[in-house]
Amino acid sequence: MIGRKKSKAKETQFTEQITSIRGKLYRLAYCYVKNEQEALDIVSDATYKGYLAFMKADTVTYFDSWMSRIVINTAIDYMYRSKPMLVLEDFTQGLEAPVENVSIEAKMDLYNALDRLRPEEKTYIILKYFVSLSFREMAEVLAVPENTVKSRFYRIMQQLKAYLIEGEVDSI
């Protein structure tokens, strides 16, 4: 009987915590797949995986970061399993400051450059600009040292810059 009460309490705790961050998890998944239904599928799958792990674990510290990592891994797995597709959708609603004075061509160049990144590299850009995490928070989610996050982030930004410059040269 005590085991059942403990299990029920743990279920309630998981439900409360997942409910409080479900919007954040959805936005995170959406940044990867750019499709509402696929993002919902990813969050659903990640929630199931998280639930199973949560019920087995003694304690889970940093629940938000832990679940974010599960969503990221699930999204990356999904992207590798699914065929690549071109999606011409505007991400500006995910940004804190809307990008209003940028031409559609410039946005498309940016999204094309982002699509050239590996999913693991996209994670850094998504966490920084679409989820608005600090480097410290990114380090928690990615389970790597903060300085590693910074160095990888700046290397990826240089890569993006090179892709954008390359795109300008190609279009001339």
Side-chain angles (χ1 to χ4, degrees):
M1 189 70 164
I2 294 174
R4 234 182 230 181
K5 284 184 182 180
K6 185 176 181 182
S7 177
K8 190 67 174 166
K10 219 168 175 187
E11 283 181 17
T12 303
Q13 181 185 11
F14 180 83
T15 302
E16 288 171 358
Q17 289 182 309
I18 202 73
T19 301
S20 71
I21 62 168
R22 67 180 178 211
K24 174 184 172 183
L25 299 178
Y26 169 77
R27 286 188 300 277
L28 186 59
Y30 188 86
C31 285
Y32 281 93
V33 293
K34 305 170 195 159
N35 177 292
E36 181 179 345
Q37 190 58 48
E38 291 173 351
L40 289 170
D41 289 345
I42 288 168
V43 171
S44 176
D45 191 26
T47 301
Y48 178 70
K49 291 175 185 177
Y51 173 78
L52 293 177
F54 188 84
M55 294 306 285
K56 290 178 185 176
D58 291 332
T59 60
V60 173
T61 55
Y62 305 112
F63 185 82
D64 290 14
S65 299
W66 180 72
M67 275 307 299
S68 294
R69 186 72 202 146
I70 293 173
V71 169
I72 290 167
N73 287 334
T74 304
I76 289 171
D77 289 346
Y78 178 86
M79 290 175 68
Y80 279 129
R81 283 192 321 260
S82 66
K83 61 184 177 188
M85 65 173 98
L86 178 63
V87 177
L88 301 176
E89 192 164 324
D90 189 3
F91 270 115
T92 56
Q93 74 270 11
L95 298 173
E96 284 199 18
V99 182
E100 296 171 0
N101 298 330
V102 178
S103 69
I104 291 176
E105 293 83 14
K107 288 179 186 178
M108 287 186 61
D109 287 344
L110 176 61
Y111 299 138
N112 288 335
L114 283 170
D115 285 340
R116 291 178 69 180
L117 295 174
R118 292 189 329 262
E120 296 83 10
E121 294 171 329
K122 272 186 184 182
T123 298
Y124 288 84
I125 304 303
I126 290 169
L127 291 176
K128 186 68 177 168
Y129 293 112
F130 294 94
V131 184
S132 302
L133 295 184
S134 67
F135 287 122
R136 183 187 53 74
E137 292 167 326
M138 289 171 65
E140 287 177 14
V141 169
L142 299 171
V144 296
E146 185 175 345
N147 286 334
T148 302
V149 169
K150 288 178 183 178
S151 64
R152 287 179 184 169
F153 175 80
Y154 290 120
R155 180 186 47 80
I156 293 165
M157 289 300 291
Q158 288 300 317
Q159 213 175 337
L160 269 177
K161 184 178 178 182
Y163 290 156
L164 289 170
I165 290 171
E166 182 181 305
E168 288 176 10
V169 172
D170 289 346
S171 64
I172 294 178

PDB file of all heavy atoms in Angstrom, residues 95-107:
ATOM      1  N   LEU A  95      11.056  34.697 -31.774  1.00  0.00           N
ATOM      2  CA  LEU A  95      12.101  35.612 -31.329  1.00  0.00           C
ATOM      3  C   LEU A  95      11.528  36.617 -30.342  1.00  0.00           C
ATOM      4  O   LEU A  95      10.359  36.974 -30.411  1.00  0.00           O
ATOM      5  CB  LEU A  95      12.692  36.361 -32.529  1.00  0.00           C
ATOM      6  CG  LEU A  95      13.380  35.492 -33.576  1.00  0.00           C
ATOM      7  CD1 LEU A  95      13.768  36.353 -34.771  1.00  0.00           C
ATOM      8  CD2 LEU A  95      14.602  34.822 -33.002  1.00  0.00           C
ATOM      9  N   GLU A  96      12.382  37.082 -29.444  1.00  0.00           N
ATOM     10  CA  GLU A  96      11.914  38.065 -28.464  1.00  0.00           C
ATOM     11  C   GLU A  96      11.593  39.398 -29.135  1.00  0.00           C
ATOM     12  O   GLU A  96      10.592  40.006 -28.865  1.00  0.00           O
ATOM     13  CB  GLU A  96      12.962  38.253 -27.377  1.00  0.00           C
ATOM     14  CG  GLU A  96      12.978  37.106 -26.408  1.00  0.00           C
ATOM     15  CD  GLU A  96      13.638  37.460 -25.115  1.00  0.00           C
ATOM     16  OE1 GLU A  96      13.792  38.652 -24.805  1.00  0.00           O
ATOM     17  OE2 GLU A  96      14.018  36.544 -24.401  1.00  0.00           O
ATOM     18  N   ALA A  97      12.492  39.866 -29.995  1.00  0.00           N
ATOM     19  CA  ALA A  97      12.259  41.108 -30.713  1.00  0.00           C
ATOM     20  C   ALA A  97      11.922  40.745 -32.156  1.00  0.00           C
ATOM     21  O   ALA A  97      12.722  40.134 -32.839  1.00  0.00           O
ATOM     22  CB  ALA A  97      13.506  41.994 -30.673  1.00  0.00           C
ATOM     23  N   PRO A  98      10.734  41.090 -32.641  1.00  0.00           N
ATOM     24  CA  PRO A  98      10.354  40.706 -33.983  1.00  0.00           C
ATOM     25  C   PRO A  98      11.272  41.338 -35.027  1.00  0.00           C
ATOM     26  O   PRO A  98      11.712  42.472 -34.884  1.00  0.00           O
ATOM     27  CB  PRO A  98       8.919  41.201 -34.132  1.00  0.00           C
ATOM     28  CG  PRO A  98       8.641  42.055 -32.974  1.00  0.00           C
ATOM     29  CD  PRO A  98       9.697  41.825 -31.951  1.00  0.00           C
ATOM     30  N   VAL A  99      11.532  40.574 -36.054  1.00  0.00           N
ATOM     31  CA  VAL A  99      12.377  41.044 -37.140  1.00  0.00           C
ATOM     32  C   VAL A  99      11.440  41.548 -38.224  1.00  0.00           C
ATOM     33  O   VAL A  99      10.932  40.769 -39.011  1.00  0.00           O
ATOM     34  CB  VAL A  99      13.272  39.900 -37.662  1.00  0.00           C
ATOM     35  CG1 VAL A  99      14.182  40.399 -38.757  1.00  0.00           C
ATOM     36  CG2 VAL A  99      14.067  39.296 -36.521  1.00  0.00           C
ATOM     37  N   GLU A 100      11.197  42.848 -38.229  1.00  0.00           N
ATOM     38  CA  GLU A 100      10.206  43.401 -39.149  1.00  0.00           C
ATOM     39  C   GLU A 100      10.841  43.982 -40.400  1.00  0.00           C
ATOM     40  O   GLU A 100      10.241  43.956 -41.459  1.00  0.00           O
ATOM     41  CB  GLU A 100       9.383  44.477 -38.433  1.00  0.00           C
ATOM     42  CG  GLU A 100       8.570  43.912 -37.283  1.00  0.00           C
ATOM     43  CD  GLU A 100       7.922  44.981 -36.434  1.00  0.00           C
ATOM     44  OE1 GLU A 100       8.094  46.177 -36.740  1.00  0.00           O
ATOM     45  OE2 GLU A 100       7.250  44.616 -35.467  1.00  0.00           O
ATOM     46  N   ASN A 101      12.022  44.526 -40.297  1.00  0.00           N
ATOM     47  CA  ASN A 101      12.633  45.219 -41.419  1.00  0.00           C
ATOM     48  C   ASN A 101      13.571  44.331 -42.221  1.00  0.00           C
ATOM     49  O   ASN A 101      14.457  44.832 -42.887  1.00  0.00           O
ATOM     50  CB  ASN A 101      13.394  46.457 -40.917  1.00  0.00           C
ATOM     51  CG  ASN A 101      12.462  47.446 -40.245  1.00  0.00           C
ATOM     52  OD1 ASN A 101      11.292  47.538 -40.601  1.00  0.00           O
ATOM     53  ND2 ASN A 101      12.961  48.177 -39.276  1.00  0.00           N
ATOM     54  N   VAL A 102      13.384  43.038 -42.156  1.00  0.00           N
ATOM     55  CA  VAL A 102      14.234  42.117 -42.884  1.00  0.00           C
ATOM     56  C   VAL A 102      13.438  41.560 -44.048  1.00  0.00           C
ATOM     57  O   VAL A 102      12.287  41.134 -43.887  1.00  0.00           O
ATOM     58  CB  VAL A 102      14.715  40.968 -41.957  1.00  0.00           C
ATOM     59  CG1 VAL A 102      15.554  39.989 -42.718  1.00  0.00           C
ATOM     60  CG2 VAL A 102      15.478  41.540 -40.776  1.00  0.00           C
ATOM     61  N   SER A 103      14.059  41.577 -45.224  1.00  0.00           N
ATOM     62  CA  SER A 103      13.359  41.095 -46.417  1.00  0.00           C
ATOM     63  C   SER A 103      13.130  39.593 -46.346  1.00  0.00           C
ATOM     64  O   SER A 103      13.825  38.873 -45.628  1.00  0.00           O
ATOM     65  CB  SER A 103      14.179  41.433 -47.667  1.00  0.00           C
ATOM     66  OG  SER A 103      15.352  40.644 -47.689  1.00  0.00           O
ATOM     67  N   ILE A 104      12.173  39.139 -47.101  1.00  0.00           N
ATOM     68  CA  ILE A 104      11.876  37.708 -47.164  1.00  0.00           C
ATOM     69  C   ILE A 104      13.094  36.955 -47.687  1.00  0.00           C
ATOM     70  O   ILE A 104      13.416  35.865 -47.205  1.00  0.00           O
ATOM     71  CB  ILE A 104      10.644  37.451 -48.056  1.00  0.00           C
ATOM     72  CG1 ILE A 104       9.400  37.999 -47.353  1.00  0.00           C
ATOM     73  CG2 ILE A 104      10.489  35.977 -48.375  1.00  0.00           C
ATOM     74  CD1 ILE A 104       8.135  37.906 -48.163  1.00  0.00           C
ATOM     75  N   GLU A 105      13.806  37.546 -48.636  1.00  0.00           N
ATOM     76  CA  GLU A 105      15.004  36.902 -49.186  1.00  0.00           C
ATOM     77  C   GLU A 105      16.067  36.712 -48.109  1.00  0.00           C
ATOM     78  O   GLU A 105      16.705  35.658 -48.019  1.00  0.00           O
ATOM     79  CB  GLU A 105      15.583  37.717 -50.358  1.00  0.00           C
ATOM     80  CG  GLU A 105      14.711  37.757 -51.582  1.00  0.00           C
ATOM     81  CD  GLU A 105      13.614  38.826 -51.497  1.00  0.00           C
ATOM     82  OE1 GLU A 105      13.675  39.720 -50.609  1.00  0.00           O
ATOM     83  OE2 GLU A 105      12.668  38.737 -52.299  1.00  0.00           O
ATOM     84  N   ALA A 106      16.246  37.727 -47.260  1.00  0.00           N
ATOM     85  CA  ALA A 106      17.235  37.631 -46.185  1.00  0.00           C
ATOM     86  C   ALA A 106      16.835  36.566 -45.175  1.00  0.00           C
ATOM     87  O   ALA A 106      17.674  35.802 -44.691  1.00  0.00           O
ATOM     88  CB  ALA A 106      17.407  38.981 -45.490  1.00  0.00           C
ATOM     89  N   LYS A 107      15.534  36.497 -44.851  1.00  0.00           N
ATOM     90  CA  LYS A 107      15.057  35.469 -43.935  1.00  0.00           C
ATOM     91  C   LYS A 107      15.276  34.081 -44.524  1.00  0.00           C
ATOM     92  O   LYS A 107      15.706  33.166 -43.826  1.00  0.00           O
ATOM     93  CB  LYS A 107      13.572  35.664 -43.616  1.00  0.00           C
ATOM     94  CG  LYS A 107      13.281  36.846 -42.732  1.00  0.00           C
ATOM     95  CD  LYS A 107      11.790  36.969 -42.501  1.00  0.00           C
ATOM     96  CE  LYS A 107      11.454  38.237 -41.744  1.00  0.00           C
ATOM     97  NZ  LYS A 107      10.009  38.391 -41.564  1.00  0.00           N
TER      98      LYS A 107
END
